[in-house]
Amino acid sequence: MKVPEIFGENVFDLKVMQDKLPKEVFKSLKETIEKGTMLDPNIAGVVANAMKDWAVEKGATHYTHWFQPMTGVTAEKHDSFISPTKDGKVIMDFSGKELVVGESDASSFPSGGVRATFEARGYTAWDPTSYAFIKDGTLCIPSTFFSYSGEVLDKKTPLLRSMRALNEQALRILRLFGNTSVKRVYPTVGAEQEYFLIDRKMFDARKDLVLSGRTLFGAKPPKGQELEDHYFGPIKLRVSAFMKELDEELWKLGIFAKTEHNEVAPSQHELAPIFTVTNLASDQNQLIMETMKKVASRHGLYCLLHEKPFKGVNGSGKHNNWSMSTDKGVNLLDPGSTPAENGQFMLFLMAVIAAVDDYQDLLRLTVTSAGNDHRLGANEAPPAVVSIYLGEELQEVIDALEHDVKYKGKTKQIMKLGVDTLPELPKDTTDRNRTSPFAFTGNKFEFRMPGSTFSIAGPNIIINTIVADELRQFADELEKAEDFNAALHDLVVKTIKEHKRIIFNGNNYSEEWTKEAEKRGLLNLKNSAEALPRFADKKNVELFERNKVFTEREVRSRMEIMLDNYCKVLSIEGQTMVEMGRQEIYPAVNAYILELCKVIEHKELCKVVERSEKPASACKAPAERKVAERLSADNEAMFAKAEEIENLLAEAKTHTDAVKQAKFFAEKVIPVMEEMRSFADDMEGYTAKKYWPFPTYADILFSV
Ligand code: ADP
Ligand code: MG
């Protein structure tokens, strides 16, 4: 395989555009893409035709507006290119109008009350800043999705809006540093994706995996990740065949799949692409997840993207590496080597620090979901408390600035920002802190809280917007300053003083940190029901409106959708537990108890079901009796819990207020689900293997 030749072969990228479009049209389209402006309607027809010819040449027969509704997955509705001719034949046709807008019934997508059913029309519009591509014989046109009244119904539009806000404010800052040549600043993202690969047969045999993506029952296996033999371990043949094919598919789609390795837990892996502009990174991450599932199925495997498929085993996250870059390719979170570059770096760094501190709630709630609640705060992923890691060297610099004392490093100097140079900061030190939710890693931040199923659009909308807003305040202040360097220095010192509570370089998993964080007044929003309602807090609505990212109605609709999703997921999980408990576990355990009873009877002993007066030790079959009694008690208790869950789910439906309903699930339903599970998991350990109705953790985790 010649990688450079296949790379991007299914993408209508700049090179193809230049090849296929008339010069003037190409120029105009390129400008649209680079500036993120409106498409000139006069060229749409020409572009559409060229796109269609290119796609048909590659075997495509259909096209679709490919968009990202609030479900978190992508949506597509395929139309074929065929158009009838007078003589009863067909030609392949695709008009400018079809390229630019699509009409779609929006009533089946979540809208959180924004779209009443009487105005069910939704529209999709081509987003020219993201390249069209061919997937399974269909030309996919990346699009935004909005309602008849103009409100956004997707994750793409607000992401583009947040990028625009960041661009505007970052440019103001760059101008202050005398930079007049940069035309555009955009956020960059590299999203590392974790996932599990299990045997398809194991997946099919478990209703919980099929219906909820995670195991709702399952005792801890004798071997998990204790030996730490899986991380970066040798990759099994079947998995490596999967990874090779996955890479190839992704390369054809122009995705820079770069690193593939085994993760901490058995059967867990990771894929990291090379970073790119955020909206592309976001589209690409959706394609990565979709392609993973598709390729897995070709190898008799199933790809689990859930945040916590197995209790007691590491879950999966998505590390969102984030930075800002100019159109000249300069990374704005790279410290640089001159005093001006250093001063500028410090200012951008301060914007991130202040943003994370001021909007801990938004960062927390943008990564919350029923699935990710199992991860955040457990002893594996970042905690539910948001904080920033800077590392020792940068911390020293900041301390020295704050207290106006000599920097302890080699240079031993007092630093004046904008005048002096920063000491060399080591990039990507190997001992870096892996427990931090928001870690500076030399020239970018790594936000480690997003869950593996998430669209990265959500978290990046927030990061872009909150950083843009701090930059706006900085620019407002500095544009007025008479002595720029002095004002810059003061502003940085002031920001350190005001926001240093958000910086924590220690172990985020420790209990001391939870206590310390509370003392510092940092938020600790434990679950979705606690976090999500904060979305619509006044300060947050104002932030979104100020930066033209969401209207208040859009904020409220998004909050509704997330709360609703939380409740629905838990309701499905609850019902699945009830069914598996009643239809699979209960009868299986009873069958085994019956067998035990037969043994006991055979040994001419008391019948366990009658609960003989004689102590167990007096029996001739004490073990059988002990097991049978334990199982019998567990099974009855589990059955009772199933009934309790059923009643609670019915009660949950009576809560019409989304916030109250979510709280009900978090406080009332989840604890009972956990209780039910504990009885089942105990029984798993005592029931003969051949009676247990579905594959166990050991079967699944070591199946590939
Ligand atoms: P790791 O975190 O596993 O040590 P790296 O630090 O090499 O790996 O990179 C992790 C991810 O960060 C990759 O996807 C990489 O492309 C991305 N990345 C690197 N530089 C930037 C940047 N300036 N902006 C956004 N993402 C970046
Ligand atoms: Mg990483």
Side-chain angles (χ1 to χ4, degrees):
M1 182 193 357
K2 294 212 172 79
V3 180
E5 269 168 40
I6 64 157
F7 190 84
E9 73 173 25
N10 291 339
V11 186
F12 195 74
D13 57 15
L14 279 179
K15 210 178 123 276
V16 183
M17 289 179 205
Q18 188 162 23
D19 258 17
K20 307 272 175 194
L21 292 171
K23 233 191 193 129
E24 281 311 303
V25 174
F26 173 69
K27 225 181 102 201
S28 164
L29 183 58
K30 188 160 172 267
E31 211 169 279
T32 303
I33 295 168
E34 279 166 2
K35 290 208 185 117
T37 50
M38 290 289 289
L39 181 79
D40 174 359
N42 297 321
I43 68 165
V46 183
V47 178
N49 202 45
M51 232 185 228
K52 183 248 324 172
D53 285 346
W54 168 81
V56 169
E57 221 170 82
K58 293 194 162 285
T61 50
H62 288 69
Y63 72 90
T64 178
H65 276 214
W66 186 79
F67 58 103
Q68 299 170 31
M70 294 299 300
T71 51
V73 292
T74 49
E76 37 196 82
K77 169 183 148 236
H78 296 194
D79 284 302
S80 71
F81 288 122
I82 63 166
S83 171
T85 58
K86 281 200 194 95
D87 55 359
K89 298 234 159 28
V90 294
I91 51 161
M92 298 303 250
D93 191 33
F94 187 44
S95 72
K97 191 171 160 282
E98 284 168 318
L99 165 66
V100 177
V101 273
E103 194 171 328
S104 148
D105 180 6
S107 58
S108 306
F109 294 106
S111 77
V114 155
R115 176 207 37 70
T117 21
F118 61 82
E119 42 172 65
R121 261 177 305 172
Y123 293 92
T124 51
W126 180 32
D127 161 26
T129 61
S130 183
Y131 302 133
F133 56 89
I134 298 171
K135 181 170 67 82
D136 304 326
T138 297
L139 171 67
C140 298
I141 300 150
S143 301
T144 57
F145 183 43
F146 50 92
S147 73
Y148 180 66
S149 47
E151 266 121 352
V152 291
L153 295 174
D154 71 346
K155 296 190 175 239
K156 184 71 166 289
T157 314
L159 181 64
L160 294 171
R161 290 179 184 165
S162 73
M163 290 170 68
R164 200 185 312 147
L166 186 72
N167 173 52
E168 260 171 49
Q169 304 307 328
L171 281 179
R172 285 175 72 193
I173 299 288
L174 290 181
R175 300 292 182 253
L176 282 164
F177 282 90
N179 188 327
T180 51
S181 59
V182 168
K183 289 202 190 69
R184 217 175 140 217
V185 171
Y186 46 83
T188 51
V189 164
E192 300 163 60
Q193 175 74 47
E194 289 179 341
Y195 60 98
F196 279 85
L197 267 190
I198 63 169
D199 192 280
R200 175 82 206 197
K201 288 197 277 306
M202 299 291 159
F203 173 81
D204 287 334
R206 291 201 53 141
K207 199 171 189 172
D208 47 4
L209 285 178
V210 173
L211 294 183
S212 72
R214 77 176 179 104
T215 55
L216 299 166
F217 301 101
K220 209 176 165 321
K223 178 179 185 312
Q225 59 205 50
E226 298 82 1
L227 297 178
E228 295 173 339
D229 53 355
H230 195 256
Y231 191 59
F232 281 22
I235 298 174
K236 292 191 179 124
L237 281 180
R238 215 167 142 202
V239 175
S240 97
F242 159 87
M243 285 179 174
K244 274 207 187 89
E245 200 174 312
L246 176 64
D247 279 343
E248 199 178 315
E249 292 254 335
L250 294 176
W251 289 335
K252 284 185 192 165
L253 288 168
I255 297 169
F256 298 92
K258 174 86 177 162
T259 321
E260 304 258 16
H261 64 77
N262 284 353
E263 260 299 326
V264 177
S267 287
Q268 194 186 27
H269 315 279
E270 180 188 290
L271 180 145
I274 296 173
F275 71 96
T276 178
V277 188
T278 306
N279 62 322
L280 275 184
S282 170
D283 282 1
Q284 293 188 348
N285 184 253
Q286 293 293 332
L287 282 172
I288 288 173
M289 291 193 284
E290 193 184 318
T291 313
M292 277 175 170
K293 294 231 166 211
K294 196 168 68 186
V295 175
S297 72
R298 285 190 214 132
H299 290 256
L301 298 165
Y302 193 87
C303 171
L304 292 172
L305 289 171
H306 194 282
E307 282 77 21
K308 195 73 180 174
F310 308 100
K311 186 180 171 184
V313 176
N314 247 32
S316 300
K318 178 137 51 191
H319 294 171
N320 191 86
N321 295 274
W322 182 93
S323 188
M324 290 164 278
S325 170
T326 70
D327 52 2
K328 312 260 181 271
V330 176
N331 179 351
L332 295 175
L333 287 177
D334 199 329
S337 51
T338 65
E341 283 169 344
N342 288 167
Q344 186 180 298
F345 159 72
M346 269 295 170
L347 196 62
F348 280 112
L349 181 71
M350 288 305 133
V352 179
I353 291 174
V356 174
D357 186 26
D358 284 339
Y359 296 100
Q360 299 159 44
D361 50 351
L362 286 180
L363 284 168
R364 172 67 185 92
L365 71 86
T366 191
V367 296
T368 204
S369 72
N372 215 20
D373 279 359
H374 296 285
R375 244 180 104 235
L376 302 177
N379 263 3
E380 51 163 69
V385 181
V386 178
S387 71
I388 287 185
Y389 167 84
L390 287 183
E392 208 182 318
E393 293 80 9
L394 199 50
Q395 186 64 52
E396 274 186 28
V397 173
I398 281 183
D399 289 343
L401 278 168
E402 182 191 352
H403 303 293
D404 205 18
V405 296
K406 286 196 174 111
Y407 171 71
K408 283 205 290 302
K410 279 188 230 114
T411 43
K412 293 225 191 294
Q413 60 178 7
I414 290 190
M415 239 176 31
K416 279 283 166 230
L417 282 176
V419 182
D420 299 324
T421 338
L422 280 185
E424 188 80 11
L425 297 173
K427 279 203 185 77
D428 227 18
T429 39
T430 44
D431 62 342
R432 72 182 207 231
N433 189 322
R434 290 190 177 271
T435 66
S436 173
F438 210 96
F440 184 68
T441 52
N443 58 4
K444 62 182 187 294
F445 276 96
E446 185 172 11
F447 185 32
R448 300 203 179 98
M449 292 171 100
S452 45
T453 52
F454 277 62
S455 153
I456 57 166
N460 285 295
I461 291 168
I462 302 298
I463 301 175
N464 297 340
T465 308
I466 62 180
V467 173
D469 200 65
E470 302 292 344
L471 290 175
R472 170 201 308 280
Q473 294 170 46
F474 288 179
D476 285 348
E477 191 165 331
L478 292 175
E479 279 166 4
K480 289 193 304 245
E482 278 166 21
D483 178 346
F484 176 72
N485 280 340
L488 167 71
H489 188 90
D490 291 349
L491 179 59
V492 167
V493 173
K494 188 177 106 196
T495 311
I496 297 171
K497 289 203 164 97
E498 274 171 17
H499 296 287
K500 65 179 177 188
R501 65 170 186 166
I502 198 71
I503 302 170
F504 179 64
N505 294 309
N507 178 6
N508 281 261
Y509 299 168
S510 69
E511 234 172 84
E512 296 87 75
W513 169 232
T514 314
K515 287 192 201 121
E516 164 71 16
E518 198 182 332
K519 253 194 254 153
R520 293 191 191 184
L522 299 180
L523 288 174
N524 187 358
L525 303 170
K526 296 206 177 62
N527 56 43
S528 303
E530 273 185 43
L532 286 172
R534 300 213 172 214
F535 209 165
D537 281 1
K538 190 159 170 281
K539 79 168 208 324
N540 294 335
V541 170
E542 283 169 5
L543 165 89
F544 291 123
E545 293 196 325
R546 198 162 51 237
N547 292 284
K548 300 193 171 59
V549 172
F550 291 126
T551 61
E552 173 158 10
R553 213 158 105 97
E554 286 167 350
V555 170
R556 292 198 178 275
S557 85
R558 246 142 249 259
M559 186 178 87
E560 288 276 318
I561 290 168
M562 289 172 86
L563 284 164
D564 186 52
N565 178 268
Y566 175 74
C567 297
K568 281 185 180 144
V569 166
L570 285 166
S571 175
I572 292 171
E573 289 184 355
Q575 286 177 57
T576 309
M577 283 188 91
V578 171
E579 285 192 9
M580 287 174 80
R582 280 187 192 152
Q583 299 169 354
E584 300 184 47
I585 303 174
Y586 190 77
V589 171
N590 272 348
Y592 181 51
I593 292 174
L594 189 64
E595 180 167 320
L596 287 171
C597 288
K598 281 189 204 145
V599 177
I600 297 165
E601 214 169 23
H602 190 74
K603 291 186 178 176
E604 296 177 333
L605 279 166
C606 44
K607 282 188 189 152
V608 68
V609 277
E610 282 168 16
R611 304 216 180 237
S612 151
E613 311 285 276
K614 282 185 242 164
S617 54
C619 295
K620 280 189 190 150
E624 289 89 342
R625 187 179 149 143
K626 223 164 147 179
V627 173
E629 276 185 351
R630 182 172 186 135
L631 285 175
S632 180
D634 273 354
N635 217 16
E636 293 312 317
M638 184 200 72
F639 196 87
K641 288 292 160 195
E643 214 146 67
E644 217 180 302
I645 291 175
E646 199 168 46
N647 293 334
L648 286 169
L649 292 180
E651 195 184 334
K653 282 212 185 94
T654 63
H655 290 280
T656 43
D657 178 80
V659 174
K660 289 210 184 92
Q661 194 182 42
K663 212 165 140 137
F664 183 83
F665 271 104
E667 287 167 9
K668 299 279 191 279
V669 184
I670 291 180
V672 185
M673 283 168 63
E674 273 162 15
E675 283 165 21
M676 178 175 173
R677 174 180 187 147
S678 70
F679 290 119
D681 292 357
D682 188 63
M683 289 192 279
E684 189 190 311
Y686 283 90
T687 304
K689 175 96 176 125
K690 67 170 189 191
Y691 279 88
W692 198 248
F694 39 73
T696 64
Y697 274 19
D699 297 335
I700 306 170
L701 287 166
F702 301 96
S703 64
V704 180

